[in-house]
Amino acid sequence: TFDGTWKIERNDNYDKFMEKMGVNMVKRKLAAHDNLKIFIQQTGDKFHVKESSNFRNLEIDFTLGVTFDYSLADGTEVSGSWTMEGDTLKGTFLRKDNGNQLTTTRIIQGDELIQSYSYEGVDAKRIFKKA
Ligand code: MYR
């Protein structure tokens, strides 16, 4: 289960990923230490997610397979949806500004939640532990 509060523990290739996304260096440096926390609560195919970081606090509700809009912390707007494949949450989002695809997955591995990101051939991971 993805339920619970997850606190960022470490990043893997996140700087390169953000660079590919077009995030400038100053913002990348801040984002590398954003103290991201996500609270996830799943009820059937519906998810309630609270996101808090040095940048912002926000709450999102989505249903598996249903498209929704989301703004990244740097203001980039995307639209897409999450689906569940086995134990993996798979997200496919399109950037509204250039139409490029961003894919992401969430999986629980041991006591960690691993979120992976892929954009234009660059992959990154953010690894969370239960808060
Ligand atoms: C959620 O489930 O938390 C809400 C929807 C998340 C969409 C995921 C979009 C990927 C975020 C990538 C951040 C990259 C910053 C340059």
Side-chain angles (χ1 to χ4, degrees), residues 80-126:
S81 66
W82 288 102
T83 57
M84 190 78 84
E85 287 182 29
D87 291 333
T88 306
L89 269 173
K90 293 198 175 185
T92 304
F93 294 87
L94 292 181
R95 280 177 72 144
K96 292 187 178 183
D97 56 351
N98 63 13
N100 288 347
Q101 181 171 286
L102 189 166
T103 58
T104 176
T105 64
R106 284 183 176 138
I107 187 165
I108 306 294
Q109 233 166 61
D111 63 349
E112 297 182 332
L113 183 154
I114 301 176
Q115 181 157 11
S116 65
Y117 305 90
S118 183
Y119 181 74
E120 297 294 298
V122 179
D123 299 327
K125 281 184 185 153
R126 305 201 78 187

Side-chain angles (χ1 to χ4, degrees), residues 47-87:
F47 282 77
H48 182 61
V49 176
K50 287 186 209 174
E51 172 184 326
S52 75
S53 72
N54 294 343
F55 296 115
R56 61 182 184 173
N57 296 304
L58 94 157
E59 302 196 24
I60 311 132
D61 287 288
F62 62 85
T63 301
L64 294 177
V66 178
T67 298
F68 62 100
D69 293 334
Y70 178 76
S71 295
L72 309 189
D74 74 336
T76 303
E77 292 183 23
V78 299
S79 176
S81 66
W82 288 102
T83 57
M84 190 78 84
E85 287 182 29
D87 291 333

